[in-house]
Amino acid sequence: MKLSRVLGSVGVVSAAALALVACGKSSNNNAGAKDAKKFKETTPVKAVKKGGTLSYAEETDTPFTGIFNNELSTSAIDSDVAQFGNESLFDVDDSYKINSKGPATFKLDRKAKTITIEVKKGVKWSDGKQVNAKDVEYEYEVMANKGTKSQRYTASLQNIVGVTEYHDGKAKTISGIDMPDGANGRKVVIHFKEMKPGMLQSGNGYFLETASPYHQLKNIPFNKLESSDAVRKNPLFFGPYKISKIVRGQSITWVPNKYYWRGKPNLDKITVSVINSNSASQAIKSHKFDIAQVVNSQWQQVKNTKKVNFVAKVPLQYGYMGFKVGKWEHGKNVMNPKAKMNNKSLRQAMAYAMNIDAVTKRYTQGLSFRIPTLIPEQFGQYFDKNVKGYSYNLKKANQLLDKAGYKKKGTYRVQPNGKPLTIHLAAMTGSSTQEPIIRNYIQQWKKIGLNVKLTGGRLIEFNSFYDKVQNDDPSVDMFIGAWSLSSEPSPNDLYSEKAPMNYSRFVTPENTKLLDEMDSQKAFNHKYRVEKFHEWQKYMFDEAYVIPIANSYSITAVNKKLTGYSLKPSDSMGNGFPNWYNVAYAK
């Protein structure tokens, strides 16, 4: 369950993308939930007219970092602005199962413990060079080399033979990746220590689904890669469009990749511009952009806009609250039993005190909704419908704290050892009501006698927020973030001992056991795997190291003159984004 809608990889999505940070006037109705039933995932099919410029709004209150390499980027905003050229190696069906219709073919051999990837002839980088075996292999070097400090070097990828030795500097190459026809051939065979049940699904985390242009990057030292012009200013892609201009952090202009393997795309140009999410509804109503995300709390303001199709789905993502209980040390999460937040009753009480249902109803008219577990409902049988989550219950919250020895002294409670208790919460900036929502939760915690203060006294800008959270800044006791997930449901890469993105830093023998079991050989038996997923959800609910908060409909306003825009997985470029090759103006 790696994050980021760039499904083969993990990225951090700003909580601002989620309903939790909704903005706009309060409204005590659930009208949006009724409208949601009418949403479609695609624009109407029409005859295509070649040419034209499309303008795309990238809604964020912070500039994009502009790291255009799949193994170095961790921001969903970067993934978003790169989607027009950043194609995956594989296409998928509507259940996200990998097929061989995309840029590369895919074969899994359980007995030999290998997968074979063959890039198709004619799949070329935007400078005209054929994508070859070395480009596929080099992606693994970028991910695993210590110099890049890639957040994507996870325990799951260490299941590839030789990756650990390469990472640790004991080998110059990754022994488990073969190029049978040489570096300039198109075939790559990857050898695994053991095969995993999720390997047929895109986003499984056991191998990479992207490539890096070796001929462009080979002379750049790994520790200089992230800041290099090749990654920041003139990246190469093998998708339908290529970058013609970047205004750093603000805008990108895309033009057709004339070497694109499917043929010339329909549009002449795509311009992506950063706009503040508070301006979204005005931009939609005035038709300033051809494609713009709807901020859910502004739905009532935009829903009757003419000349627009609203395309929507519930994406694989959620907002969550995490409690810091340890540190990242020597390549793994190390828990501190004495951490302030390492008390289950305290964590559970804080979850019960949150009035999430009231918040989503008030600020998003039902277009967002509280979620009960860390496995979203879209994962079908893997979702445990018997886990009800932390519904609002102040009485229970108070009882838990009383029983655990958090006694009241005046307004606030003290720790069981009698020392004062101040809890520092890190939360991101967002749209206009992000602050009132966070202040609301702080008030809720005050009602049960907990003194919660914002880290630094205010909401934190997206990049600084993740800098603090990733580096275990001591000023953060708990934080509110969000995941955008991949399409294979295993949570191993987010919550295991060796997952850099396990930002709470919790590690328990039971958690490790359950995560190992759900991705074990035994888990090739679907029934067994489902059981383990259910056990893990119950365990995580009880331990409350991470509290799921909400998910929401993702609604896009699309100019009525456009056709070919689809959110169906089978219509994507294998990465969760629309296949931009198909998008066009209608005749």
Side-chain angles (χ1 to χ4, degrees), residues 113-167:
K113 296 186 186 174
T114 60
I115 62 162
T116 301
I117 297 166
E118 186 163 2
V119 180
K120 291 175 182 170
K121 198 170 182 189
V123 174
K124 293 178 178 179
W125 295 104
S126 42
D127 63 355
K129 195 159 168 44
Q130 167 73 37
V131 178
N132 63 24
K134 184 64 187 179
D135 297 331
V136 174
E137 184 275 339
Y138 194 61
E139 189 82 341
Y140 291 85
E141 291 189 32
V142 174
M143 173 275 301
N145 193 289
K146 261 198 175 129
T148 64
K149 297 190 171 77
S150 171
Q151 290 260 323
R152 301 177 189 266
Y153 178 70
T154 62
S156 303
L157 287 158
Q158 290 162 47
N159 178 38
I160 295 169
V161 173
V163 159
T164 312
E165 290 77 359
Y166 175 78
H167 174 78

Side-chain angles (χ1 to χ4, degrees), residues 151 320-329 332-344 346-347 350 421-426 455 464-481 483 494 499-507 543-547:
Q151 290 260 323
Y320 70 95
M321 181 165 76
F323 298 98
K324 282 280 183 189
V325 291
K327 281 201 163 76
W328 177 258
E329 288 175 352
K332 62 181 185 179
N333 294 293
V334 180
M335 196 138 107
N336 170 12
K338 292 181 178 155
K340 190 191 293 183
M341 305 315 291
N342 213 342
N343 183 303
K344 184 160 80 171
L346 174 61
R347 298 192 299 267
M350 293 191 82
L421 175 64
T422 304
I423 298 165
H424 292 98
L425 165 72
T455 295
S464 311
F465 170 88
Y466 275 108
D467 187 54
K468 284 185 190 303
V469 170
Q470 285 168 355
N471 294 304
D472 304 318
D473 192 299
S475 67
V476 178
D477 296 318
M478 56 187 285
F479 57 95
I480 291 177
W483 292 135
L494 298 186
M501 299 213 177
N502 175 359
Y503 294 139
S504 289
R505 311 299 182 209
F506 74 93
V507 184
E543 289 294 334
Y545 289 112
V546 178
I547 308 294

Side-chain angles (χ1 to χ4, degrees), residues 213-415:
Y214 177 69
H215 66 285
Q216 186 197 28
L217 305 179
K218 64 183 178 186
N219 295 325
I220 304 166
F222 284 109
N223 63 351
K224 299 271 194 317
L225 211 50
E226 192 176 303
S227 57
S228 70
D229 282 359
V231 166
R232 295 296 188 106
K233 284 185 182 170
N234 45 24
L236 297 176
F237 298 99
F238 56 82
Y241 291 91
K242 65 172 188 174
I243 291 175
S244 70
K245 189 183 172 195
I246 297 179
V247 177
R248 191 152 172 199
Q250 296 305 319
S251 67
I252 301 187
T253 306
W254 296 84
V255 295
N257 168 11
K258 67 177 178 185
Y259 303 105
Y260 185 51
W261 69 284
R262 292 185 216 249
K264 193 182 174 204
N266 297 309
L267 300 162
D268 291 334
K269 196 194 282 186
I270 296 171
T271 58
V272 183
S273 310
V274 164
I275 68 159
N276 191 291
S277 47
N278 293 330
S279 322
S281 65
Q282 201 42 53
I284 290 166
K285 286 193 287 189
S286 63
H287 302 97
K288 192 176 172 188
F289 295 95
D290 295 303
I291 296 181
Q293 279 291 115
V294 174
V295 175
N296 287 357
S297 57
Q298 298 172 6
W299 174 240
Q300 296 303 328
Q301 293 157 251
V302 301
K303 65 184 274 191
N304 297 317
T305 307
K306 302 273 188 287
K307 299 180 184 168
V308 161
N309 284 312
F310 290 106
V311 178
K313 69 186 289 188
V314 176
L316 291 172
Q317 61 183 37
Y318 58 81
Y320 70 95
M321 181 165 76
F323 298 98
K324 282 280 183 189
V325 291
K327 281 201 163 76
W328 177 258
E329 288 175 352
H330 312 300
K332 62 181 185 179
N333 294 293
V334 180
M335 196 138 107
N336 170 12
K338 292 181 178 155
K340 190 191 293 183
M341 305 315 291
N342 213 342
N343 183 303
K344 184 160 80 171
S345 299
L346 174 61
R347 298 192 299 267
Q348 288 181 338
M350 293 191 82
Y352 278 122
M354 293 173 82
N355 54 345
I356 297 165
D357 288 321
V359 165
T360 56
K361 197 172 173 183
R362 177 174 178 185
Y363 291 105
T364 76
Q365 298 99 49
L367 289 168
S368 298
F369 41 89
R370 182 174 67 84
I371 53 163
T373 95
L374 298 172
I375 300 292
E377 202 172 343
Q378 296 98 300
F379 285 128
Q381 291 176 315
Y382 293 114
F383 166 72
D384 187 349
K385 60 180 186 294
N386 298 317
V387 175
K388 298 303 178 202
Y390 288 95
S391 51
Y392 184 45
N393 193 332
L394 282 186
K395 190 181 171 188
K396 204 163 183 175
N398 275 310
Q399 285 170 346
L400 280 161
L401 293 172
D402 291 342
K403 205 172 167 187
Y406 289 89
K407 292 189 173 67
K408 263 202 173 173
K409 277 204 176 162
T411 310
Y412 295 115
R413 294 175 185 267
V414 293
Q415 296 178 59

Side-chain angles (χ1 to χ4, degrees), residues 52-56 84 267 269-271 290-291 562 580 583 585:
T53 296
L54 181 146
S55 56
Y56 183 98
F84 310 92
L267 300 162
K269 196 194 282 186
I270 296 171
T271 58
D290 295 303
I291 296 181
L562 289 169
W580 289 97
V583 178
Y585 282 97

